Amino acid sequence: MEEIIDNVTSTWGQKVLDVQFPVHFVFHIGTMSNDFTAHDERNNTLAYVRQKMFKFKEDVIVFSDDTRSKELFRIRADRWIDFNANYSIFDASGTFTGSVGRKGMRSLWKANYGIFDADKNKEYDISEENPWAKVGDTLLGEVPVLSFFTGYLFNPKYLVKDLNGRPVARLSKVSSLFGRKFMLEQLETIPNEDIERMILSLMMMILLERRRG
């Protein structure tokens, strides 16, 4: 059984290495879950991501596609939801592969996260480029009628930087009805061993940030 599970995970890993950027995250409207599908520029499905609802701790499942027949990863919070939570990434065999963590009170105004490897060493920082975009998105969303247009007017962007401060990727909210589309662009070469963990971390982050506005 473990060989089958490991093969599924490694196959997904190879698919991620072969991905054609940009990667698109498209949220599903009208479902009871907070869920989205990720696909690359060639429209190859990378994953279906589903957040389990009504949980005291965040629990996210990454499947190979929307049939939910193959579970690839689990992402779980280490505590009840707060601004210091860390979200651990486990592959299908239950092996810890890394984590993404919110940077405490700094994230109240401007989203700040760190990406960590399996040895808990920080690899990358994620920061919101223009926090005012999210403020406008949230405020206009409270206005009747105008709230339908927030997906077109305000589009936050999140920059991923390595430990030398070099931007390597950008996740952007794309103009769309209900603000359900996001796009991940590669800005610089990213080591193969980091791509999978970075994409998974950004998947978790966007679930959290989309809920905030």
Side-chain angles (χ1 to χ4, degrees):
M1 183 63 179
E2 288 188 359
E3 290 184 3
I4 296 175
I5 291 175
D6 290 344
N7 182 61
V8 169
T9 304
S10 61
T11 299
W12 190 81
Q14 186 59 49
K15 185 187 291 187
V16 168
L17 292 181
D18 294 336
V19 67
Q20 181 68 49
F21 284 93
V23 173
H24 303 272
F25 300 159
V26 182
F27 279 81
H28 297 267
I29 302 298
T31 65
M32 293 298 293
S33 301
N34 193 13
D35 58 344
F36 64 87
T37 299
H39 62 86
D40 71 4
E41 188 66 7
R42 292 172 294 197
N43 208 35
N44 295 319
T45 298
L46 297 178
Y48 168 69
V49 183
R50 181 182 179 90
Q51 184 176 28
K52 299 184 76 171
M53 307 300 287
F54 311 114
K55 288 282 187 178
F56 288 115
K57 293 182 181 179
E58 301 285 359
D59 189 1
V60 172
I61 309 175
V62 180
F63 296 96
S64 59
D65 55 43
D66 59 10
T67 65
R68 290 186 274 168
S69 59
K70 293 179 180 178
E71 181 179 322
L72 302 176
F73 297 92
R74 281 282 183 110
I75 307 176
R76 294 191 176 103
D78 63 350
R79 68 194 75 184
W80 284 26
I81 302 169
D82 69 14
F83 289 99
N84 292 300
N86 282 291
Y87 304 88
S88 298
I89 303 168
F90 302 91
D91 67 17
S93 68
T95 301
F96 174 74
T97 65
S99 63
V100 56
R102 186 185 275 149
K103 295 184 179 180
M105 297 299 291
R106 290 175 60 186
S107 292
L108 280 172
W109 160 244
K110 180 180 179 180
N112 285 278
Y113 293 78
I115 299 176
F116 303 84
D117 65 17
D119 295 319
K120 300 184 178 181
N121 298 312
K122 183 192 280 190
E123 296 181 309
Y124 298 94
D125 287 300
I126 308 171
S127 60
E128 193 170 0
E129 290 193 78
N130 180 14
W132 283 108
K134 184 166 59 185
V135 173
D137 191 17
T138 301
L139 292 177
L140 196 60
E142 298 299 320
V143 181
V145 180
L146 292 181
S147 61
F148 289 104
F149 300 99
T150 59
Y152 292 103
L153 298 176
F154 298 101
N155 299 293
K157 296 181 180 181
Y158 306 88
L159 200 61
V160 182
K161 297 181 181 180
D162 63 18
L163 297 185
N164 293 317
R166 181 183 66 134
V168 297
R170 174 182 285 115
L171 180 65
S172 307
K173 182 180 177 184
V174 179
S175 296
S176 62
L177 187 63
F178 301 115
R180 70 191 192 99
K181 296 181 180 180
F182 293 80
M183 180 176 67
L184 174 59
E185 303 170 273
Q186 183 178 6
L187 304 179
E188 294 288 347
T189 301
I190 303 170
N192 287 346
E193 62 270 21
D194 297 350
I195 293 177
E196 179 180 282
R197 185 163 42 249
M198 180 182 295
I199 290 179
L200 290 166
S201 296
L202 289 168
M203 286 175 172
M204 183 68 237
M205 187 207 76
I206 206 59
L207 285 169
L208 297 169
E209 291 303 309
R210 187 170 184 266
R211 187 170 59 198
R212 292 177 63 196

